Amino acid sequence: MYNQSVNSQAASCWLVDAHLRIHTPAGPGALPKDFGKGRPGQSFSEVIPPAFHGEVAAIFARIRESHGELSTKVRRADAPGGTSRFVQLVVLPAAEGPLYRCSLREVELDEDIWNETRHQSPADQAIAVPAPGNLPNPFELIFDRAPIQIAVFDPQYRFLYINPQTVKDEALRQWLIGKDDFDYCRYRNRDMSLAVKRREKLEAVTRTGEPQGWEETHTTHEQKTVIISWTLTPVFDEARNIRMIIVTGSDLTQIRRAQQQVREEQEKFMLLARHVKEVFYIRDPAMTKFIYVSPSFEQVWGYSCQQLLDDPKTWYRAVHPEDKPRLKELDVLSAPEQQVNTEFRIIRPDDAERWIQARLFLAFDHQSNLSYVVGLSEDITERKTAELALQNQARQFREIFENAPIPMAIADMAGKLALVNEAMGSTLGYTREELLACNINVLSVTEDMQENLLLRQQLLGGQTDSIQLNKRFVHKNGQILHTLLKASLMRNSPGQPTHFLGQVVDITDRKKAEDALTSQNLELAKINAELDRFVYSTSHDLRAPLTSLLGIVYLMEQEPVSESTREYLNMMRTSINRMDAFIGEITDYARNARTEVAIEPLDIEQLIRECFQDLHYLPRAGTIRKDIHAPLPGPVYSDGRRLKIVLNNLISNAILYHNSYVESPFIRAEVTSEDSLCVVRITDNGKGISPEHQGRIFDMFYRASDDTKGSGLGLYIVKETVEKLGGAIEVSSVVGVGSTFTIQLPLRR
């Protein structure tokens, strides 16, 4: 501890002017003997110990403003005689004009206290000790080192003491002694409302004699916002008069910031808990009660949060009876890293059944003591329903797969069979176990290996999702099986291929039938070609004699013959023409059946005119009026040769079977376009066809009566030819009125 002496034997006093020159040397005393009295005009710095040189200028700079006493720190001073003392320099204005009374006071200081300053540099080594005042000396050092802010006011609310925690600037602390808060605020350029507030609290202490307290927020001169909690405590003398007021301040800035952060985190937590769909809850370590449960509990469980807080068993009673045994695992938690994740069903008050996924974990404090049990519960009904549906679909797929009559197999990406059904084993002659040990290539014909690789590349390359082809497999007995294989890729949820799915249809018998049919078709094509040659040859060989006979008939008609002979020649000509027409019909029929349709643009009006012109030789053809009406905007696309055969037959029939008793016989050809069809109508006012014959006139070799002049092939050939062109034909006829044949052909562009 330390003690100060202020008697004349322990102090030296000088009168010094504002320029630090000695005006009056020091009087008698112990210290001047050691350090020197000085002389008028001498620099004061030459007299005082060197340890004070750094502080003297600062003291004199402040003393001009304070007009009160200021003192330096206590320093060790070595006297010329070899002695060492702890001294303090005190300066105060003198009564003798603009002079200052300077005193060196010796301080009795414990060496242990001085040794605590060894960490300081020699120039800074000192201990702050206020000038003698009203504080009990034993407490000053304690106040200086206290971690809180301390200030002492006299009954007039002037500073008696300020510790370094309150004001760090030592010179400012010394200057404030004897001044009040208003002086401090003016010096710091602070809002005077701060001083007013403090004065109100000091006055309240004086008025009530009771401690006062408040929190104060202000900005320091370093522009930092601080929060201080002040406590004002009165100190009384023996007469219960206030001797001084001790003010202590605690910096609550960090505490308040931490509290604000806690509040913000709590607000975030509550906001999250209110809006998250999962149920969040906190239980005590013994799990006997709920400390907190989020509002989503009401939506999931159907009970109110208050019901659960009042009755912690509410949630358990809602658990489905079949699922309660599995909740025993919730009791095995013991370590921080342990967690429980389980699923169970609950029955809500409205009897709705819901699936719940519960996760539970423990929360420990920094001393590893269990603080809380924390849980999350999520309604997974939709997900669980989807999972159960998926499982049901998988089971159904497995049943369908196993029992399908079509051989089916699933192979991995390397071609190893992973799943086969019973039909696959029956088709290939293997057991299921034997197939599952095989690669698909082992079951394939060696010559088809390249085809297998191409199939794999097409599927994996994304060129197609599935492919169908004819594939050969080797039966266990070595027989080659012809199959129709449909292969596709199976993918996982990210879309990556995982397996090949193959469906096989055994077409061995069909393949044999197809091969036989192909052989038969080739043979039939050969026969048809020979028939075509025969028809051509026959028609040529038959028509050549007929042409010769017609020539002879013509020559005989040029000779003078009897009327009977001329009648016989006419009958011969008619028979020869009929035979020639029959041969022509047979030739048309053969060509229509075996030649392809050749589509070309046609001027159908011109085609009809040509038909009329070609048939002009028929008896009485010149006496029949021919009308053509074909207002089409462009050509008709069809097979011209076939269409001419059709028109020739219909027009020739109209000429041959005209009604010779009508005054003006006619044949009208009309062409229109109706609903994407080219419609051709051939109408006459001839003899007509009786209803009982109309349904059969398109049959082969059908003749309505013995008087019919044709062979019965003409209308049959017409119908076959129209159908070959993709069209249809129909007839409308009334006996004695006439007939209309309507042809409908595709209107091609």
Side-chain angles (χ1 to χ4, degrees), residues 226-412:
V226 295
I227 303 173
I228 307 296
S229 175
W230 295 106
T231 301
L232 289 72
T233 305
V235 177
F236 300 94
D237 58 16
E238 295 179 356
R240 292 296 297 173
N241 296 318
I242 293 180
R243 180 182 177 189
M244 65 185 73
I245 300 174
I246 300 177
V247 180
T248 58
S250 299
D251 190 342
L252 302 181
T253 306
Q254 296 300 325
I255 295 175
R256 291 293 182 262
R257 287 177 181 171
Q259 290 173 341
Q260 179 63 25
Q261 290 177 352
V262 170
R263 284 193 298 270
E264 291 175 355
E265 293 300 323
Q266 288 177 339
E267 290 175 358
K268 291 178 183 178
F269 167 77
M270 294 303 296
L271 183 63
L272 178 65
R274 283 195 299 270
H275 291 87
V276 72
K277 65 178 181 178
E278 291 84 359
V279 179
F280 175 79
Y281 58 88
I282 302 174
R283 305 191 69 175
D284 67 306
M287 295 183 69
T288 59
K289 64 179 180 179
F290 284 86
I291 299 173
Y292 173 80
V293 60
S294 63
S296 53
F297 174 78
E298 298 182 2
Q299 283 74 40
V300 176
W301 249 264
Y303 295 92
S304 69
C305 296
Q306 193 59 46
Q307 283 179 284
L308 181 65
L309 295 174
D310 294 341
D311 183 2
K313 292 293 185 180
T314 300
W315 76 273
Y316 184 77
R317 283 194 292 271
V319 176
H320 195 288
E322 296 177 2
D323 296 345
K324 286 184 178 180
R326 72 176 64 180
L327 299 183
K328 292 181 180 179
E329 60 189 77
L330 298 178
D331 298 329
V332 301
L333 284 173
S334 60
E337 65 276 5
Q338 282 187 300
Q339 293 188 20
V340 169
N341 192 336
T342 187
E343 296 177 358
F344 55 88
R345 291 167 293 170
I346 64 169
I347 301 175
R348 290 163 45 96
D350 57 4
D351 292 330
E353 187 175 293
R354 311 295 291 176
W355 273 96
I356 303 297
Q357 181 183 47
R359 296 187 294 275
L360 203 66
F361 53 92
L362 305 180
F364 292 82
D365 61 19
H366 64 282
Q367 295 180 346
S368 299
N369 297 318
L370 180 60
S371 298
Y372 304 105
V373 178
V374 182
L376 286 171
S377 295
E378 180 183 1
D379 185 345
I380 59 169
T381 304
E382 292 184 4
R383 189 188 77 190
K384 200 68 177 179
T385 302
E387 289 177 357
L388 293 175
L390 188 61
Q391 293 173 6
N392 187 46
Q393 290 177 359
R395 184 177 65 254
Q396 292 176 350
F397 168 79
R398 189 65 178 257
E399 292 176 356
I400 294 172
F401 182 89
E402 295 289 350
N403 300 315
I406 300 175
M408 300 174 68
I410 295 176
D412 63 20

Side-chain angles (χ1 to χ4, degrees), residues 488-508:
S488 57
L489 271 180
M490 299 176 67
R491 302 177 183 272
N492 56 18
S493 53
Q496 298 173 334
T498 58
H499 292 83
F500 295 100
L501 171 63
Q503 297 173 310
V504 176
V505 177
D506 186 354
I507 59 171
T508 303

Side-chain angles (χ1 to χ4, degrees), residues 14-34:
W14 294 265
L15 287 178
V16 180
D17 63 19
H19 301 289
L20 296 181
R21 292 192 299 270
I22 297 176
H23 181 273
T24 303
L31 291 181
K33 179 178 64 176
D34 293 332

Side-chain angles (χ1 to χ4, degrees), residues 147-215:
I148 62 175
Q149 299 185 37
I150 301 175
V152 181
F153 290 86
D154 63 15
Q156 286 74 42
Y157 314 130
R158 295 173 299 195
F159 288 104
L160 291 174
Y161 168 78
I162 307 171
N163 76 341
Q165 297 297 330
T166 306
V167 178
K168 293 181 174 58
D169 186 339
E170 179 184 352
L172 178 59
R173 288 201 308 275
Q174 296 295 338
W175 179 80
L176 285 173
I177 301 301
K179 296 179 174 56
D180 57 21
D181 267 318
F182 291 95
D183 296 322
Y184 174 75
C185 288
R186 279 191 292 269
Y187 181 82
R188 286 293 194 191
N189 292 320
R190 287 189 178 173
D191 191 344
M192 296 303 290
S193 61
L194 180 65
V196 172
K197 179 70 174 179
R198 293 178 178 178
R199 177 60 61 89
E200 290 175 351
K201 295 296 181 180
L202 289 168
E203 291 175 348
V205 172
T206 302
R207 185 174 60 257
T208 63
E210 299 292 333
Q212 300 288 323
W214 84 99
E215 285 189 12

